[in-house]
């Protein structure tokens, strides 16, 4: 039996999935399908392209669903939208049934539809210097990527809630809500410009880290996370000093060290070219270097979007050479 949709279009049957919030009535399948497209693509405009609808129609349908639920589903941003907690909950409940229905009815391969973007998050430096170059061929094949840089803890929380498909994590995620595989090992290197290396000279070997007392320290953050790890593992001691320069991007730390601002600890993959050219000099050559393993994390189960698997597999393959 046909009926009129809330936006005036003639539609099809309704689903028995009751959205959270103010309305207890069933939600229109078209509204839920539009909601899921917006949720996965991150914008009304992108969802319109996926569904073959106009952007105003998508906006009208989302507003209609928000009126039914009595709750805001998306926070409107200058570019795109961000799902609210209510949207995360609704997507978790309707995504699998809608995907299964689309597959059963043959509506998952409409000519005007493209696979949803793959949302990948992780440290900005790893994403920009390793992940994006490795994934570049997929863009030419039609895979769409949405990249989010950030710190591991909040990114993993967002992965659990469904905001991302994959997260490059600087540690192994805990609990059963996520699965992960080792992606790469980062070797940390104590480095400085040639001028500072000459200043320290051979004193580091004889005096230990005390030889660096007069050299400014450049760090990623005030609590010196990478340098503290290096001191603990290599020198077996606690690092207790204040950074002269802090830059919340390791590429900035690299630039400052290369320019002669002081010494720092960096992943070798990030400063390899500078070490090879002599722009940076390793100050220490430990027999047992400080290593950190990065992981590729995702939620358990096979993702509905096949492009997520393509991105995951290509990252794992590329990680073997990093």
């Amino acid at each position: 039996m046909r009926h009129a949709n809330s936006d005036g279009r003639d539609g099809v049957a309704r689903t028995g999935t009751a959205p959270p919030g103010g309305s207890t009535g069933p939600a229109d399948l078209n509204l839920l399908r539009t909601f899921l497209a917006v949720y996965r693509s991150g914008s009304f405009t992108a969802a319109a392209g996926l569904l073959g609808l106009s952007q105003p129609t998508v906006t009208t349908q989302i507003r209609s669903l928000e009126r039914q639920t009595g709750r805001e589903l998306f926070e409107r941003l200058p570019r795109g939208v961000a799902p609210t907690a209510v949207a995360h909950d609704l997507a978790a409940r309707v995504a699998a049934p809608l995907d299964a229905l689309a597959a059963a009815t043959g509506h998952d391969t409409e000519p005007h539809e493209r696979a949803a973007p793959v949302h990948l998050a992780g440290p900005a430096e790893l994403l920009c210097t390793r992940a994006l170059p490795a994934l570049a061929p997929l863009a030419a094949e039609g895979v769409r990527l949405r990249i989010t840089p950030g710190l591991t803890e909040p990114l993993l929380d967002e992965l659990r809630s469904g905001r991302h498909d994959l997260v490059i994590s600087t540690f192994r995620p805990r609990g059963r809500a996520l699965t992960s595989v080792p992606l790469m090992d980062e070797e940390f290197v104590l480095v400085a410009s040639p001028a500072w290396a000459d200043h320290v000279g051979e004193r580091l070997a004889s005096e230990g880290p005390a030889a660096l007392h007069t050299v400014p320290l450049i760090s990623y953050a005030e609590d010196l996370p990478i340098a503290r790890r290096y001191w603990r593992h290599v020198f077996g001691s606690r690092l207790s000093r204040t950074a002269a320069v802090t830059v919340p991007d390791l590429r900035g730390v690299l630039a400052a060290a290369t320019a002669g601002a002081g010494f720092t600890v960096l992943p070798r993959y990030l400063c390899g070219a500078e070490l090879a050219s002599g722009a940076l000099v390793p100050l220490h050559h430990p027999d047992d270097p400080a290593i950190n393993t990065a992981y590729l994390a995702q939620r358990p189960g096979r993702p509905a979007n096949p492009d997520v698997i393509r991105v995951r597999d290509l990252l794992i393959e590329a990680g073997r050479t990093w």
Side-chain angles (χ1 to χ4, degrees), residues 117-244:
V118 178
H119 292 262
L120 171 66
E125 305 83 9
L126 256 175
L127 290 172
C128 293
T129 64
R130 288 294 183 264
L132 284 175
L135 297 175
L138 293 183
E141 298 172 11
V143 176
R144 294 186 297 150
L145 299 170
R146 298 295 180 265
I147 306 300
T148 302
L151 299 176
T152 292
E153 285 282 9
L155 291 180
L156 290 179
D157 288 340
E158 292 170 355
L159 177 61
R160 293 182 182 96
S161 66
R163 189 164 184 174
H164 309 299
D165 297 304
L166 299 165
V167 166
I168 298 177
S169 172
T170 55
F171 55 81
R172 185 190 294 274
R174 297 174 293 275
R176 299 181 180 179
L178 302 176
T179 61
S180 63
V181 294
L183 182 63
M184 65 174 291
D185 287 333
E186 303 173 284
E187 178 190 346
F188 293 119
V189 190
L190 183 65
V191 296
S193 66
W196 281 116
D198 291 342
H199 173 75
V200 174
E202 301 297 325
R203 292 166 47 211
L204 190 62
S206 59
E207 300 176 22
L212 295 168
H213 180 70
T214 60
V215 184
L217 168 61
I218 312 165
S219 177
Y220 178 84
E222 291 289 352
D223 61 346
L224 318 178
I226 299 177
R228 284 192 296 106
R229 174 193 289 265
Y230 188 95
W231 250 245
R232 184 171 60 249
H233 181 86
V234 174
F235 296 126
S237 62
R238 181 183 177 187
L239 175 62
S240 57
R241 60 179 296 173
T242 303

Side-chain angles (χ1 to χ4, degrees), residues 39-319:
Y39 181 87
R40 286 173 168 171
S41 66
S43 79
F44 290 172
T45 301
L50 286 170
L51 299 170
L53 301 174
S54 68
Q55 190 270 336
T57 298
V58 171
T59 300
T60 298
Q61 290 188 355
I62 294 301
R63 287 175 176 168
S64 177
L65 187 58
E66 288 180 326
R67 284 194 298 270
Q68 288 187 24
T69 63
R71 304 286 293 278
E72 183 183 35
L73 295 172
F74 297 101
E75 177 188 359
R76 277 65 169 177
L77 304 175
R79 297 181 64 181
V81 294
T84 64
V86 175
H88 287 313
D89 176 67
L90 180 58
R93 294 194 289 129
V94 305
L98 286 179
D99 288 342
L101 180 61
T105 57
H107 291 157
D108 57 340
T109 56
E110 294 287 338
H112 60 264
E113 290 187 9
R114 296 167 294 170
V118 178
H119 292 262
L120 171 66
E125 305 83 9
L126 256 175
L127 290 172
C128 293
T129 64
R130 288 294 183 264
L132 284 175
L135 297 175
L138 293 183
E141 298 172 11
V143 176
R144 294 186 297 150
L145 299 170
R146 298 295 180 265
I147 306 300
T148 302
L151 299 176
T152 292
E153 285 282 9
L155 291 180
L156 290 179
D157 288 340
E158 292 170 355
L159 177 61
R160 293 182 182 96
S161 66
R163 189 164 184 174
H164 309 299
D165 297 304
L166 299 165
V167 166
I168 298 177
S169 172
T170 55
F171 55 81
R172 185 190 294 274
R174 297 174 293 275
R176 299 181 180 179
L178 302 176
T179 61
S180 63
V181 294
L183 182 63
M184 65 174 291
D185 287 333
E186 303 173 284
E187 178 190 346
F188 293 119
V189 190
L190 183 65
V191 296
S193 66
W196 281 116
D198 291 342
H199 173 75
V200 174
E202 301 297 325
R203 292 166 47 211
L204 190 62
S206 59
E207 300 176 22
L212 295 168
H213 180 70
T214 60
V215 184
L217 168 61
I218 312 165
S219 177
Y220 178 84
E222 291 289 352
D223 61 346
L224 318 178
I226 299 177
R228 284 192 296 106
R229 174 193 289 265
Y230 188 95
W231 250 245
R232 184 171 60 249
H233 181 86
V234 174
F235 296 126
S237 62
R238 181 183 177 187
L239 175 62
S240 57
R241 60 179 296 173
T242 303
V245 180
T246 61
V247 189
D249 188 314
L250 288 179
R251 292 165 298 181
V253 174
L254 170 63
T258 304
F263 80 93
T264 190
V265 179
L266 288 169
R268 184 178 290 277
Y269 79 83
L270 189 63
C271 61
E274 288 74 15
L275 290 173
S277 69
L280 285 179
V281 178
L283 302 178
H284 195 219
H285 300 276
D287 294 331
D288 180 21
I291 300 290
N292 181 65
T293 301
Y295 293 83
L296 186 60
Q298 68 179 92
R299 284 169 292 165
R302 186 177 181 85
N305 183 356
D307 284 347
V308 174
I309 299 175
R310 298 177 66 187
V311 170
R312 180 197 65 195
D313 291 348
L314 186 53
L315 284 175
I316 292 173
E317 179 182 355

